[in-house]
Amino acid sequence: MNDIAVIGAGMHPWGKWGRSFVSYGTAAARTALADAGLEWSDIGSIVGADTMRCGYPGYVAGATFAQALGWQGARVTSVYAACASGAQAIGAARAQILAGLADAVLVVGADSTPKGFFAPAGGERPDDPDWLRFRVLGATNPAYFALYARRRMALYGDTMEDFAQVKVKNAAAGALNPLARYRKAVTPGEVAASAVVADPLRLLDICATSDGGAALVLSGLDFARRHGHTDPVRIRAVSTVSPTYPKAVLDLPDIATDSTAALAPAPHTFRASIARAAYEEAGLGPEDLSLAEVYDLSTALELEWYEDIGLCGPGEGAKLLRDGVTRLGGALPVNTSGGLASFGEAVPAQAIAQVCELTWQLRGTAGDRQVPGARAGITANQGLFGHGSAVVAVR
């Protein structure tokens, strides 16, 4: 096993604070260092997950956070993979630890987001798929979320009421999380009464854009034991796989699928392949999980993730939800943190925050959200342009 230890986890609360992303990231980093019982000077490497919205400092987040904490000679790495940036940062940190380049690595991601939908970067870029989908189709992210929702309704008979129940479930968990931006339970009627954004999805079906920061201190197992962490949470797998050709399901920001005239599509979708690679590396399967954190950009997408991470078969996600399996107290809770429904999206921080939640759950320190006896969990999300993201953690 190529396990590494999670010896520190910290977050800055999500919200709309109007400050620099650097302040959120450094606050999360200091919390994670304190949790690990380490000083910043004990860290041999720092890996920053980049943000594209905060100018040049965001493009070189590793160096930006290292400077904010105080230059001390640590190795520095900056990575970008859209929503998968945090998992890429964790993967880079793990590689350095296993290669013997650093005993302890600090991983940090933070964002400061604009009000409303994410927009493309400025300039004319006709060879940029993200620019094209805005310019050619006028398609914001929620337009894609609505297409996914309509596809589920057509293929599997999912209903708007099913989607609303995802929000109800996640809001109930988020109400128990002091780090969440939205800490209020909602009813199905409130979801149905919220404004239509992209039919069939309402405002409460779609995650907000938020400010926030998350950080982890990762180390080798020997280093962890020497510093008093005798039974740490361990990261057992990091999946950052890419799609296989041809892709027969539309993914944001694409405006077309690949042709299947000459070659049949892979038996598994891209999202399903992300989780399968993580399970294979970890030597675990869905039946071994105690909980999962998935990327609920919209309520309908959460149902898709249930199927992609192997909790049920295709088209069975809504039934899993209706049966109460994925709620707090259910057989396999999903998004015990409250998910993006309760946090909103702070892109480079989100995959790191997912691992923070797994860490607290596996330690047994998640408070009112605690999953009894939690021993293994998976995170899953997907970044633009074919970036996979899944982490398996165990204890």
Side-chain angles (χ1 to χ4, degrees), residues 65-214:
F65 293 129
Q67 183 176 24
L69 291 164
W71 294 120
Q72 47 90 311
R75 293 174 178 271
V76 63
T77 306
S78 300
V79 300
Y80 184 71
C83 298
S85 297
Q88 293 274 354
I90 292 167
R94 184 178 68 150
Q96 292 178 13
I97 292 166
L98 295 177
L101 298 177
D103 290 326
V105 181
L106 177 63
V107 177
V108 191
D111 211 352
S112 181
T113 62
K115 182 178 175 62
F117 304 143
F118 289 135
E124 300 290 316
R125 297 183 314 284
D127 58 348
D128 175 352
D130 194 50
W131 180 90
L132 279 173
R133 55 107 171 193
F134 280 99
R135 182 59 61 90
V136 175
L137 299 181
T140 62
N141 289 2
Y144 282 82
F145 306 158
L147 290 172
Y148 303 149
R150 281 290 176 199
R151 183 175 186 272
R152 291 196 63 83
M153 295 171 85
L155 288 179
Y156 307 131
D158 288 7
T159 67
M160 292 167 61
E161 290 73 24
D162 292 327
F163 303 152
Q165 287 295 339
V166 175
K167 174 67 175 184
V168 171
K169 173 187 74 71
N170 288 347
L176 303 175
N177 192 337
L179 296 167
R181 176 178 177 183
Y182 301 105
R183 299 193 60 205
K184 178 180 178 294
V186 301
T187 67
E190 288 173 320
V191 179
S194 62
V196 176
V197 176
D199 189 63
L201 299 179
R202 272 54 184 165
L203 185 64
L204 294 184
D205 283 305
I206 296 169
C207 78
T209 58
S210 292
D211 300 351

